[in-house]
Amino acid sequence: MRYEPGPESEDCVGAAFAVDYRHRLVFTRDALDPSNPALADAFGSPADRPHRLLVFVDSGVLEAWPHLPRQIAAYFGVRREAFDVAGDLVVVPGGEGAKNDPLVYQQAIAAIHDAGLCRQSYALVIGGGAVLDVVGYAAATAHRGIRIVRMPTTTLAQADGGLGVKNGINAFGKKNFLGTFAVPWAVVEDFAFLETLSATDFRAGLSEVVKVALLKDAALFRALTERAPGLIARDREATETVVRRSAWLHVDHIATGGDPFERTTSRPLDFGHWSAHKLEQMTAFRLGHGAAVAIGLAIDVLYASEVGLLDESTARLVLDTLASLGFALYDEALERTDELLAGLEEFREHLGGRLTITLLRDVGEPVDVHTIDAAAVRRAIDSLAGWSPAERSAAAG
Amino acid sequence: MRYEPGPESEDCVGAAFAVDYRHRLVFTRDALDPSNPALADAFGSPADRPHRLLVFVDSGVLEAWPHLPRQIAAYFGVRREAFDVAGDLVVVPGGEGAKNDPLVYQQAIAAIHDAGLCRQSYALVIGGGAVLDVVGYAAATAHRGIRIVRMPTTTLAQADGGLGVKNGINAFGKKNFLGTFAVPWAVVEDFAFLETLSATDFRAGLSEVVKVALLKDAALFRALTERAPGLIARDREATETVVRRSAWLHVDHIATGGDPFERTTSRPLDFGHWSAHKLEQMTAFRLGHGAAVAIGLAIDVLYASEVGLLDESTARLVLDTLASLGFALYDEALERTDELLAGLEEFREHLGGRLTITLLRDVGEPVDVHTIDAAAVRRAIDSLAGWSPAERSAAAG
């Protein structure tokens, strides 16, 4: 008998398929109060056995919330029929250092192994963006990916970083050189965590809110401009309003932007980020991500104004808004302009393909450009050095 | 002004989205002959700059094909307008050892970094399944995933492993503990590579062809049974026919099986694999994957017959076919039956959720079961120990 070949009679065959994802986003307060069902509900109903989970906590969060281990035990203790907590709480050093030290990733992997988690188990991770990133990378690579429920605890992570479908660690001196794209099972935002942040950490996330507002939502930008005094005074209602809106805009962008796993070169949410990434590295992370993004946004709106894309008055309003939120818009690292400009090529290499930088034509009107005029960047930085907020006292008063 | 919230006025929001993938499969011979366009075509037309690629080669392949580096240089040398080969050929130690030594992965990552590859660049990897897995894992995690073009060089990798959407390395003594799901840019199968394989390596992949035939294609199983003499004589036409069909069935399963990234517990293509994985580990990889799968299939068809799912005559036909392809169906490791049975729980843990084992009701009729009767497994192994091929001389003659 001669075996009759099937569709493989052609020498070149292709198969197309799609994979469905769901991103869940939950807003709450005091998530670990045993009477609050929001966190438990985010896992969904267990199928034939209780949800097995391992809990990771940022060391910085644990310092501010020393009763957290007891609360976690109590929360899942009253839900024993639905949850099986595997192993002890894993404490992960907070801050960017966690992403620079490969051992932190190795320890997270080992904890997942030791707890006997399987691909249907969960890592529940409570912390700032760096801890979410490193534990997320461990969860994405153990067993080719276990589920992860993130509880971002900083303004930055709640407004931006904690919502993304990325994870990673730094390597070869490059931010996020190693990582994957992976959609979290759920993101649970507990606003109570914001209350113990330092003023700097509280402020940090607001630059990402300004960013997403400039790209996508003129009304949110107006709210930021007008409510800046309330935000720096950490007014609860003002904070929750802008953080919720920012979080939702990020998730909506992932779901509807057409390229959640960034296979093309356009990354509109990276507005202001080419210089921000480089500034973090140039200052050995003395400038945190939020502070660096504020400067990056200032450079890119002044640059857009220099090259005639954006009204100078709009650029100045962006600078005033950032300043009224308490951001310093100049740093001595900007004097090493050649080194900063090298960040453009590193940004291109990380994204791949040709250089793509998102700029603004107006608030809510982003535009991608593929060349950057170094001389105009230098003029933008000079103009930033000489800039002083027109209405700082009025806005902050 | 009060900022009017958008859809985030609810405390729990979700966003659903789908990601599209395309799996390309190319069959050819003498792919690196400069006049053969198949490999170059698999990359597609370059956009605004030449395709940047780094080439990885299995040390075993290089030994059998010492002129390969010169051929690769010549192939891309005549296509300089479309290809930019970055860095020197990276030689990767062949065989399962490459997945056990974390340094091999680290070196692949470093090579990608040093060559300055970006997310739109390519890793071209020529080798057996282990090398494809470790380089695939490096490519999937560098820059959160660069593109990969695989050229599987063994029967096993061409018929099965090289087609999958997985990659990974071993850790904590567990096969594939670390890895990701990632769809290759293309898989280019060059049948000429099969000609220098040892008899053992050539045979190894045929057990996976038997597996996929038993699950999905009774006609392919008949072809294997009837053409076994030609296959062990390495008849070119017989080999290409069954390898092509097996490769296509694997790609078709990924594209149409409904769960390419294995988020549920069913993995029908893992038929015969719970014991195969464990046997490889129990024998410290003295038994290769293909040889272990042949034994695993034999155990599972005898088990299915023991529990009344499968006709005994069909089970014996499967054993005869495997034997006529030259596989040994018994190994002394089977005497450590308790240790082997522990592989069931490891298999469950790796997949997650409840135990799911695929068995057969008939050729082409798989069925999932969720419990395995240890006593019946012991009887199946006893019966395998006492089994001798009814028609071995007839089939092999």
Side-chain angles (χ1 to χ4, degrees):
Chain A
M1 184 210 104
R2 194 179 179 290
Y3 171 64
E4 287 300 312
E8 81 288 8
S9 54
E10 302 289 339
D11 282 336
C12 182
V13 295
F17 58 98
V19 177
D20 292 320
Y21 295 94
R22 186 167 180 80
H23 200 313
R24 296 168 185 83
L25 174 55
V26 177
F27 300 107
T28 189
R29 178 171 280 278
D30 302 321
L32 292 165
D33 179 328
S35 69
N36 183 345
L39 174 61
D41 289 352
F43 288 79
S45 303
D48 46 7
R49 53 171 72 198
H51 294 303
R52 192 167 174 81
L53 78 159
L54 180 64
V55 188
F56 296 82
V57 182
D58 189 318
S59 62
V61 174
L62 202 55
E63 230 167 88
W65 300 84
H67 300 308
L68 207 58
R70 215 180 49 205
Q71 288 176 301
I72 293 166
Y75 189 84
F76 292 109
V78 300
R79 293 175 170 81
R80 244 184 228 114
E81 73 296 344
F83 291 92
D84 167 18
V85 179
D88 292 334
L89 202 67
V90 184
V91 181
V92 182
E96 194 69 20
K99 296 177 64 174
N100 285 325
D101 180 359
L103 256 180
V104 176
Y105 164 76
Q106 300 291 350
Q107 286 163 349
I109 285 287
I112 290 169
H113 173 262
D114 294 346
L117 298 193
C118 74
R119 201 180 291 159
Q120 269 83 44
S121 306
Y122 299 81
L124 170 63
V125 51
I126 306 172
V131 169
L132 300 182
D133 270 359
V134 65
V135 176
Y137 184 44
T141 50
H143 294 302
R144 299 199 186 97
I146 67 170
R147 297 172 180 171
I148 185 166
V149 173
R150 297 189 197 135
M151 293 182 71
T153 55
T154 61
T155 325
L156 185 59
Q158 289 194 0
D160 179 299
L163 288 316
V165 293
K166 308 183 211 180
N167 54 59
I169 58 175
N170 308 332
F172 307 108
K174 287 184 184 159
K175 221 172 132 85
N176 299 321
F177 185 83
L178 293 175
T180 74
F181 289 95
V183 181
W185 182 265
V187 178
V188 178
E189 308 218 322
D190 179 343
F191 296 119
F193 281 118
L194 304 185
E195 287 164 14
T196 55
L197 297 176
S198 71
T200 305
D201 286 343
F202 180 82
R203 180 195 310 124
L206 298 179
S207 59
E208 294 283 11
V209 182
V210 172
K211 175 203 74 177
V212 79
L214 289 174
L215 292 170
K216 291 176 172 275
D217 190 342
L220 176 59
F221 181 66
R222 275 196 306 277
L224 287 162
T225 301
E226 291 166 16
R227 304 189 70 175
L231 288 167
I232 59 172
R234 303 169 76 149
D235 172 77
R236 186 185 278 197
E237 190 270 336
T239 305
E240 286 190 22
T241 300
V242 303
V243 168
R244 275 174 183 249
R245 181 68 184 163
S246 178
W248 170 252
L249 287 169
H250 278 83
V251 169
D252 186 58
H253 177 79
I254 291 163
T256 66
D259 188 19
F261 296 164
E262 300 177 7
R263 293 186 294 197
T264 62
T265 52
S266 178
R267 293 219 299 195
L269 289 188
D270 271 344
F271 176 45
H273 277 53
W274 73 266
S275 55
H277 283 312
K278 188 68 188 177
L279 282 168
E280 285 178 76
Q281 187 201 321
M282 284 169 68
T283 62
F285 301 98
R286 170 177 55 76
L287 280 180
H289 186 67
V293 165
I295 296 174
L297 293 174
I299 293 172
D300 281 1
V301 295
L302 288 173
Y303 175 85
S305 163
E306 283 287 337
V307 298
L309 269 172
L310 184 69
D311 269 1
E312 198 190 330
S313 63
T314 309
R316 295 200 161 266
L317 180 62
V318 173
L319 268 59
D320 285 339
T321 301
L322 288 166
S324 68
L325 290 167
F327 288 104
L329 299 186
Y330 194 81
D331 188 273
E332 58 185 13
L334 293 174
E335 284 157 33
R336 289 141 62 196
T337 316
D338 289 339
E339 197 180 340
L340 181 72
L341 284 164
L344 279 169
E345 172 54 22
E346 289 170 21
F347 192 72
R348 188 206 63 74
E349 180 188 312
H350 187 59
L351 299 195
R354 66 176 171 163
L355 179 70
T356 302
I357 297 287
T358 301
L359 294 175
L360 283 192
R361 254 194 305 246
D362 197 354
V363 175
E365 289 186 33
V367 57
D368 280 354
V369 301
H370 301 288
T371 53
I372 290 287
D373 173 355
V377 173
R378 286 175 202 278
R379 289 197 302 275
I381 290 173
D382 284 347
S383 134
L384 193 58
W387 175 83
S388 64
E391 304 160 52
R392 175 179 273 172
S393 48
Chain B
M1 186 211 103
R2 195 179 178 288
Y3 171 64
E4 286 300 313
E8 81 288 9
S9 55
E10 301 290 338
D11 281 336
C12 181
V13 294
F17 58 99
V19 177
D20 292 320
Y21 295 94
R22 185 166 181 81
H23 200 312
R24 295 168 186 84
L25 175 55
V26 177
F27 301 107
T28 190
R29 179 172 279 276
D30 303 320
L32 293 165
D33 179 327
S35 69
N36 184 344
L39 174 61
D41 289 353
F43 290 79
S45 303
D48 46 6
R49 53 170 73 200
H51 295 304
R52 193 169 173 81
L53 78 158
L54 181 63
V55 188
F56 295 81
V57 181
D58 189 316
S59 62
V61 174
L62 202 55
E63 232 166 88
W65 300 83
H67 301 306
L68 206 58
R70 216 181 47 204
Q71 289 176 299
I72 293 166
Y75 189 83
F76 292 109
V78 300
R79 292 175 171 81
R80 247 185 225 114
E81 73 296 343
F83 291 93
D84 167 18
V85 179
D88 292 334
L89 203 67
V90 184
V91 181
V92 183
E96 194 70 20
K99 296 176 64 173
N100 285 325
D101 179 359
L103 255 180
V104 176
Y105 164 75
Q106 299 290 349
Q107 285 162 350
I109 284 288
I112 290 170
H113 173 262
D114 294 346
L117 298 192
C118 74
R119 200 180 292 159
Q120 268 83 42
S121 305
Y122 299 80
L124 170 63
V125 51
I126 305 172
V131 169
L132 299 182
D133 270 358
V134 65
V135 176
Y137 184 44
T141 50
H143 294 303
R144 299 199 186 96
I146 67 169
R147 296 171 180 170
I148 185 163
V149 173
R150 296 188 198 136
M151 293 183 70
T153 55
T154 62
T155 325
L156 185 58
Q158 288 194 2
D160 178 299
L163 288 317
V165 292
K166 310 182 211 179
N167 54 61
I169 58 176
N170 308 332
F172 307 107
K174 289 186 184 157
K175 221 170 130 85
N176 300 322
F177 185 83
L178 292 176
T180 73
F181 289 96
V183 182
W185 183 264
V187 179
V188 178
E189 309 218 320
D190 179 343
F191 297 119
F193 281 119
L194 303 183
E195 288 163 13
T196 56
L197 297 175
S198 71
T200 305
D201 287 342
F202 180 82
R203 181 195 309 123
L206 298 178
S207 59
E208 294 283 11
V209 183
V210 173
K211 175 203 73 178
V212 79
L214 289 174
L215 292 170
K216 290 176 174 277
D217 190 342
L220 177 59
F221 181 67
R222 275 196 306 277
L224 287 161
T225 301
E226 291 166 16
R227 304 190 70 176
L231 287 166
I232 59 172
R234 301 168 77 148
D235 171 77
R236 189 185 275 198
E237 191 270 336
T239 306
E240 287 190 21
T241 301
V242 305
V243 169
R244 275 175 183 247
R245 180 70 185 160
S246 178
W248 170 251
L249 287 168
H250 278 83
V251 169
D252 186 59
H253 177 78
I254 290 162
T256 66
D259 188 20
F261 296 164
E262 300 176 5
R263 291 188 293 199
T264 63
T265 51
S266 178
R267 293 217 299 193
L269 289 188
D270 271 344
F271 176 45
H273 277 53
W274 73 267
S275 55
H277 284 312
K278 187 70 187 176
L279 283 169
E280 283 178 77
Q281 186 202 320
M282 284 169 68
T283 62
F285 301 97
R286 171 178 54 76
L287 280 180
H289 186 66
V293 166
I295 298 175
L297 292 174
I299 293 173
D300 282 2
V301 294
L302 288 173
Y303 174 86
S305 163
E306 283 287 338
V307 298
L309 270 171
L310 184 69
D311 268 2
E312 198 189 331
S313 62
T314 309
R316 293 198 163 269
L317 180 61
V318 173
L319 268 57
D320 284 340
T321 301
L322 288 165
S324 67
L325 291 168
F327 288 104
L329 298 186
Y330 193 82
D331 188 274
E332 58 183 16
L334 293 174
E335 285 156 32
R336 288 139 66 196
T337 317
D338 289 338
E339 197 180 338
L340 182 72
L341 283 164
L344 280 169
E345 171 56 20
E346 288 169 22
F347 193 72
R348 188 207 63 74
E349 180 189 311
H350 187 59
L351 299 195
R354 67 177 171 163
L355 179 69
T356 301
I357 297 286
T358 301
L359 294 175
L360 283 191
R361 254 194 306 245
D362 198 352
V363 175
E365 289 187 29
V367 57
D368 281 353
V369 301
H370 300 286
T371 52
I372 290 287
D373 173 356
V377 173
R378 287 175 201 279
R379 289 198 302 275
I381 290 172
D382 284 347
S383 136
L384 194 58
W387 175 83
S388 64
E391 303 159 53
R392 175 179 275 174
S393 47

